[in-house]
Amino acid sequence: MIPHCGERKRHLIAQFPVLYPTREVVRTALRGTAMYGLSWFDAHLWAHAEVYGVAEILSEDFEHGRHYGSVRVVDPFKTASGVHELPALYATQPTTRARGTRAQRR
C-alpha cells in the first residue's frame, strides 16, 4: 500500500471537478446512441461533455475532427503525416484576416 494514499486522493478530488450523471446526462446519452450510433459508454462520455459545456473530447474512439452536438472530438494519436491539424478551439483573439473579412461583410 502506498503511504498517504488517502491524502493523494483528497488532493486529486480537490484539484479536479467531479461530474456526476444527472437525468439530463442520461437522456442526452440516450439521444447520442440514437442520433450518432454511439455505444453506451461513448454516448455517456459525450453526454457529460455536452451537458456540462466541455467543448472538446480527446478520444480515439470517435471520428477525428467531427462535431457531435456542440462537442468536437480530437484523436490525440493521429500522426501529423496525412492528417490536417484542426484549428484551435481556444483562440484568444481573431486574426487580422478575419477582422478584414468581417469589415468587408458590413
Side-chain angles (χ1 to χ4, degrees):
M1 179 133 212
I2 301 172
H4 309 291
C5 186
E7 183 178 322
R8 289 181 186 182
K9 287 179 186 176
R10 283 190 295 278
H11 176 71
L12 284 172
I13 289 172
Q15 192 174 10
F16 299 102
V18 178
L19 305 177
Y20 293 101
T22 62
R23 282 182 191 219
E24 185 179 3
V25 169
V26 173
R27 287 182 179 144
T28 304
L30 289 169
R31 185 168 48 96
T33 60
M35 286 179 59
Y36 304 117
L38 298 173
S39 69
W40 174 247
F41 177 80
D42 290 345
H44 201 80
L45 175 68
W46 166 76
H48 271 81
E50 182 76 15
V51 170
Y52 286 106
V54 177
E56 192 172 76
I57 296 174
L58 299 177
S59 175
E60 63 181 323
D61 296 331
F62 293 83
E63 185 181 334
H64 177 68
R66 181 173 174 185
H67 282 84
Y68 296 83
S70 64
V71 180
R72 181 175 77 170
V73 176
V74 175
D75 183 346
F77 299 109
K78 291 278 186 190
T79 60
S81 61
V83 174
H84 300 287
E85 289 296 318
L86 296 172
L89 276 178
Y90 311 107
T92 56
Q93 294 188 11
T95 63
T96 305
R97 182 177 176 189
R99 286 186 191 136
T101 304
R102 274 191 248 157
Q104 292 169 356
R105 289 182 187 166
R106 289 182 188 166

